[in-house]
Amino acid sequence: RSKRRGRGQITVYSQEIAQEMKRATQIEQALRNAIIADQVDVHFQPIVDLRSDTVVGFEALARWCDADLGYVSPSVFVPLAEERGFIESLAETLLRKAAQAALSWPKELFLSFNLSSAQLMDPATSSRLLSIIHQVGLDPRRLELEITETAVMADADVAQRIVSDLRAAGVRVSLDDFGTGQSSLGRLRDFSFDKVKIDRAFVSRISADRASEHIIKAIVSMCEGLELEVVAEGIEDFAEALKLKALGCGMGQGYFYGKPADAVATMRYLSDRYREVAASR
Ligand code: C2E
Ligand code: MG
Ligand code: MG
Ligand code: MG
């Protein structure tokens, strides 16, 4: 009896897997077409200097809405593009668009772009990225690349080489989602980063529990010693912003300062701010 039930469960399970694979293939096809048809978009979220309350740069975030599938999150389609071997063409489209948009911003603002783990395993990545921004005409010193610990760990030697080549060209590198991966501290010693982005998981609990506050305090103090800039991700309200400032966190990002918005809305956001700055002078 239990055997039959067990087999029944296996049947249901494999049907689920089949369903998932079918959906993945559906997404894959639609995404490949969207890349060709230039329908994958990039939005930008402001990164703010908490010491002066000024925008210092924007993080590019991939956005895609398919006619049949609806909105698909980048945390779904980026890993899929990696698995199915077309992350390179996706990343190229995204970086090209993002860099193009950044050309219209004030020159002192940087563009932060996420690199996927697959890109960090491919030795050709640094020259490919540099050639894209060269073609677009964006100064490499205005580019920042966000990488995660998990990505770095997949092939540490290749990743290290990519990071050092990029940094030699003037590109800055930040460690994204800090605190959620493994062996975080070792990575900070072995790699040369410019920035650490504290994961939203710590920031969102800062008002609720003291532990997160202590953890953030420790990260800030460690980064001071290592001469790394610290960015707190996912700041959603004023209270969180004040706490992070008090803890000495230099930079912040989150819905409180601005949600990711398309290139046009980003220009509007900037022109509003810059008018304020000009008026206050
Ligand atoms: P991430 O790089 O850590 O990006 C931050 C995520 O947090 C974004 O989600 C952003 O919209 C969200 N976020 C920002 N502020 C807040 C806040 O105050 N509250 C909350 N609840 N969320 C906030 P998104 O855009 O869905 O992206 C998810 C992940 O997908 C990114 O995490 C990144 O790992 C990946 N991703 C997005 N765009 C790209 C891309 O162009 N290339 C690559 N390789 N990965 C990308
Ligand atoms: Mg990021
Ligand atoms: Mg992050
Ligand atoms: Mg993340």
Side-chain angles (χ1 to χ4, degrees), residues 45-48 54-59 105 108-112:
Q45 185 178 35
I47 300 172
V48 169
T54 52
V55 179
V56 286
F58 287 89
E59 176 174 3
W105 307 341
E108 62 270 26
L109 300 184
F110 64 81
L111 166 72
S112 205

Side-chain angles (χ1 to χ4, degrees), residues 229-241:
E229 191 72 66
V230 186
V231 186
E233 298 193 274
I235 302 178
E236 293 189 346
D237 58 45
F238 186 52
E240 285 172 359

Side-chain angles (χ1 to χ4, degrees), residues 155-265:
D155 191 338
D157 289 343
V158 174
Q160 199 147 11
R161 182 62 191 277
I162 294 170
V163 167
S164 70
D165 286 353
L166 287 164
R167 290 186 86 237
V171 175
R172 278 164 301 173
V173 178
S174 51
L175 190 56
D176 202 359
D177 302 345
F178 186 73
T180 57
Q182 290 155 355
S183 73
S184 322
L185 304 181
R187 293 300 132 193
L188 288 179
R189 194 196 49 207
D190 301 339
F191 272 78
S192 341
F193 295 106
D194 300 279
K195 255 182 205 172
V196 163
K197 300 187 80 173
I198 304 177
D199 195 78
R200 179 155 55 87
F202 300 106
V203 176
S204 63
R205 283 199 289 267
I206 198 173
S207 302
D209 73 64
R210 291 303 292 259
S212 295
E213 195 177 317
H214 286 302
I215 290 168
I216 292 178
K217 208 190 270 180
I219 296 175
V220 168
S221 127
M222 177 186 70
C223 288
E224 251 165 35
L226 294 170
E227 292 179 356
L228 294 169
E229 191 72 66
V230 186
V231 186
E233 298 193 274
I235 302 178
E236 293 189 346
D237 58 45
F238 186 52
E240 285 172 359
L242 286 181
K243 270 229 170 93
L244 288 157
K245 282 185 199 200
L247 292 175
C249 191
M251 293 188 183
Q253 179 180 358
Y255 294 168
F256 177 65
Y257 292 104
K259 288 196 172 174
D262 67 22
V264 173

Side-chain angles (χ1 to χ4, degrees), residues 41-43 45-46 59-63 71-79 82 87 90-91 94-95 112-117 119 146 148 176-177 197 199-200 203-204 233-237 240 253-260:
D41 203 11
V42 184
H43 282 201
Q45 185 178 35
E59 176 174 3
L61 294 160
R63 290 292 179 266
Y71 176 78
V72 185
S73 165
S75 41
V76 170
F77 70 76
V78 169
E82 293 189 274
I87 187 66
L90 175 65
L94 293 170
L95 181 59
S112 205
F113 187 81
N114 292 286
L115 277 197
S116 69
S117 2
Q119 288 179 286
E146 303 192 3
T148 63
D176 202 359
D177 302 345
K197 300 187 80 173
D199 195 78
R200 179 155 55 87
V203 176
S204 63
E233 298 193 274
I235 302 178
E236 293 189 346
D237 58 45
E240 285 172 359
Q253 179 180 358
Y255 294 168
F256 177 65
Y257 292 104
K259 288 196 172 174

